[in-house]
Amino acid sequence: MIAIEDWRIYEHPILKFDRGKEVTIYLDGKPLKAYKNETVAAALYANGIREFSKSIKYRRPRGFFCAIGRCSACMMEVDGVPNVRTCVTLVRDGMRIKRQRTIADWAAPFLGMMKLPPLRYMKLFTRPGFIYEPAMKIMRKFTGLGSYPEKVPEVAPSGGYQGELSTEFLIVGGGPAGMSAAVEAGQQGVDTLIIDDKEKLGGQLLKQTHMFFSDVKYAAGKRGFKLGEELVEKISKLDNVKVMTQTSAVGYYPSENTMLLKGPNDTTLKVKAKKYLISTGAYERSLVFENNDLPGVYGAGGVQTLLNVYGVKPGNRGILLGTGNVALIVSYHLLQAGIEVAGVFAPSFRRVRGYFVHAAKIKRHGVPIVTRHTIVKALGKNRVEGAIVTKLADYGKPIPGTERRVDCDFICVGVGLNPAYDLVQLFNPKMVYVGALGGMVPIRDRTYRFAENAYIAGDCASIEEATTAVLEGKLVGLYASQALGHGDETVPEKIEEYTRALEEDRGSPFSTRLREALRDITVEKIEEALK
Amino acid sequence: MKPVQRGYYTREELEELGVFPPREELEKKRLCVIECVEEIPCNPCAAVCRSGAIIKEGLCKPPVVDWKACIGCTMCVAACPGMAIFMQWIEDGDGYVTMPYELLPEPKIGDRVQLLNRKGEAVGEGMIVNPTYQARGDAYPRWVVTVKMDDPDLSYEVRAFKILE
Amino acid sequence: MKRVYRGKGDLGVVKKIVCRCHDVTESDIEAAIDAGYDDLETLKRITGVTTGHCQGKTCLPLTMAILARKTGKNVNVTTKIRPPIDPITLGSIARPPGKRSSKR
């Protein structure tokens, strides 16, 4: 089918990839080379496989978008279990992976010829009433993701957990904010549990190969993955901080003050904590353009994961969409991996919104930065083969006739992040939409509490730099230990120091809108605001 | 178009901003040139400077260089997270630029390089004279590479290079 | 090389996908808004947007943007969030405590 390809990066100026032992996995019966520390998606990708599944309705080819287990475009049948998110599942020797097919895959081209106008299918076969039921039965066959497994899949007997647990402080999300909070709370003697849905702590820090800005006292001058490793080490030294990886929060039930966690190997755990910290980070923002679901259109985080965590090239020549630091940093990461960047296309008008120095360091390596441009269409049948970009007039309207084709084999969407809003909302907070903070965020008080027993820190509180997330996390760790009756006499001192540092960090003209927005949504007493 | 729109400053604009040291100083010793003009929260350059030549009035204020105090130690080149600090000097009619380098292949003494200016255009060829892998403890590990070029005027332009095979 | 691109008319043929999980296109949502489903909860029920496996992690902001653009209203709501927010097998909830395998 596909010739043997290897998209792995073996030489990198900064990173060394620890891939582990070589294993063999089978895709639809065909053996593929993989390494122990790779996820299924990364291993498939390294072998040149771009199409992971077919979409539910139009049977369009899909690859992954986010690569961090958020978008569900990468679901496949793994060892007989259907609908497994391959981008967060690690490979195992002899693993059998199947693309999920239904009868609809063959019927799709014919159904596509019908060219139904939008929402027309909602009214198909609804009248007369008696044909609806039989028609529905037939139509259901032409949709869906896969089929039921023939036998009940066996779950690996070891690992995972079951039952209940209680702790003082539960931190959901092991990124910069969560880990810093765990360190501070742990040092104050708080019984802490930190969970993360990946196989190791670190969140997005692990993908950052560039050095951070900010104050040298906190994180500046360190590369992101180093900072992550440092925090992990600090946590491992604290006996009262428990770490659970490959564990995600499924729900929170306020009446019982219980959080339900999902662990590895299909296990669940109920946790009762006195205080919660939600530091679940953010979701990648997508962009609506034609064929925006083609394999080869990725989120910036997805590209970073492939490149810097698994050492797999997303393609040979790509374009970046976006205006902020994310787009600029990702294009630098691509350059470091030896991948050509055909251009950074930014829909913003006056300037690239990221820092000038980030723009300058890719510009001097010959990457064109094109402002006032956006993408209208991704070209290609089963994978991206090019893109059509257009110039924008004022107010964001495309100018007709300015379309041009850019050759590329992947498109990276780095248009920004939205704070993760879902787990936060289960605590019944007061949510507001604040553009300057990235999206829907809860109203919080000075101690970062957004509900009676829950704190918020990091990108899900406001989209900012990792360094501010670290400081916010530290502050929450201290506030929580105070509230739990732990902290020693140094706590108020530390709180003052970190608050000052945070203010200084946000002192640049870039953060003016953010500062004002934060002031607007911060209240004196959260209990009163929630009434 | 403003520099922030283009992603680069021209030499003339930077001269107006007072980024470059006077020419006669450059002919005497290696001096740092900081092309960091925005107010961003950052201070590793001032923190690593042993001679106190880099002054930041606040965390968000752009750095100011005291060229009399600068000893050309290149610590700031290694430390700048934005890769915006360079070293320049002129010796025997040759221009020298010290740049941070985070790409492949690894630089070696005597490597011929293609010189790139701030726009990414090739402006000539040069030679690597002094590549060092700098790291202070675990912090700031990065190649700091000095490139020699025939035209001293080019040293005001060259900000990146590509190692030729 | 410059090539001029001529866009085709949008008759449900051009696929600008908003919701990847349920294949909801931009024109689906626009048609639904035109048909009168102009708030997030009804829009979600008629088109299926934000009800996929990912529970609106990518499509909710996009839908809000389309809704705000089409209706001119300031959309300041999200959909009602209910657990489970991360997909979970029924077996893992239904299984008696202490048993790990989902074998019956």
Side-chain angles (χ1 to χ4, degrees), chain A residues 214 216 223 350-351 356 508, chain B residues 5 38-39 41 43 102 141:
Chain A
S214 167
V216 276
R223 298 193 189 277
R350 286 186 300 281
R351 54 163 295 171
F356 171 76
S508 79
Chain B
Q5 259 173 308
E38 267 179 348
E39 295 186 13
N43 69 358
E102 288 188 343

Side-chain angles (χ1 to χ4, degrees), chain A residues 11 13 211-216 221 223 332 336 350-351 355-357 360 363-365 504-505 507-510, chain B residues 5-7 9 38-44 47 60 78 81 83-84 102-104 118-120 140-142 159:
Chain A
E11 269 196 327
M211 293 181 187
F212 284 158
F213 293 114
S214 167
D215 201 322
V216 276
R223 298 193 189 277
Y332 191 67
Q336 285 182 326
R350 286 186 300 281
R351 54 163 295 171
Y355 293 158
F356 171 76
V357 284
K363 185 79 190 171
R364 72 174 78 108
H365 286 287
E504 254 184 21
D505 237 4
S508 79
F510 281 92
Chain B
Q5 259 173 308
R6 299 183 307 231
Y9 276 80
E38 267 179 348
E39 295 186 13
I40 52 176
C42 187
N43 69 358
C60 290
M83 301 177 84
E102 288 188 343
L103 303 175
L104 285 176
R118 294 183 186 86
K119 283 184 252 181
Y140 324 125
R142 181 189 270 169
R159 286 300 173 260

Side-chain angles (χ1 to χ4, degrees), chain B residues 108 110-114 125-128 150 162-165:
Chain B
K108 287 185 288 298
D111 276 354
R112 300 294 303 167
V113 294
Q114 190 178 46
E125 272 191 28
M127 195 177 71
I128 294 177
D150 299 337
K162 208 159 112 189
I163 296 174
L164 296 170
E165 291 297 314

Side-chain angles (χ1 to χ4, degrees), chain A residues 175-184 202 205 212 214-215 217-220 222 224 227-228 230-231 234 277 448 457-459 464-478 498 501-502 505-506:
Chain A
M179 287 198 295
S180 322
V183 170
E184 291 293 333
L205 278 182
F212 284 158
S214 167
D215 201 322
K217 258 192 270 172
Y218 305 107
K222 278 180 199 145
L227 181 67
E230 268 175 36
L231 285 169
K234 271 188 198 164
L277 165 61
Y448 296 89
D459 267 3
E464 277 177 272
E465 298 286 315
T467 45
T468 46
V470 167
L471 286 169
E472 276 185 359
K474 279 172 184 278
L475 279 170
V476 169
L478 293 170
Y498 297 147
L502 201 53
D505 237 4
R506 290 177 179 147

Side-chain angles (χ1 to χ4, degrees), chain A residues 429-492:
Chain A
K430 205 167 162 187
M431 300 292 281
V432 278
Y433 182 87
V434 189
L437 304 185
M440 299 295 293
V441 286
I443 282 185
R444 74 289 308 256
D445 71 1
R446 277 177 206 295
T447 60
Y448 296 89
R449 256 180 342 140
F450 68 96
E452 212 194 317
N453 57 348
Y455 297 85
I456 192 163
D459 267 3
C460 63
S462 56
I463 302 291
E464 277 177 272
E465 298 286 315
T467 45
T468 46
V470 167
L471 286 169
E472 276 185 359
K474 279 172 184 278
L475 279 170
V476 169
L478 293 170
Y479 283 130
S481 20
Q482 255 185 347
L484 289 161
H486 275 281
D488 52 22
E489 67 282 355
T490 58
V491 170

Side-chain angles (χ1 to χ4, degrees), chain A residues 396-412:
Chain A
K397 283 255 160 55
I399 305 171
T402 58
E403 292 92 349
R404 68 189 163 99
R405 189 194 153 111
V406 183
D407 286 321
C408 58
D409 61 357
F410 70 98
I411 295 168
C412 176

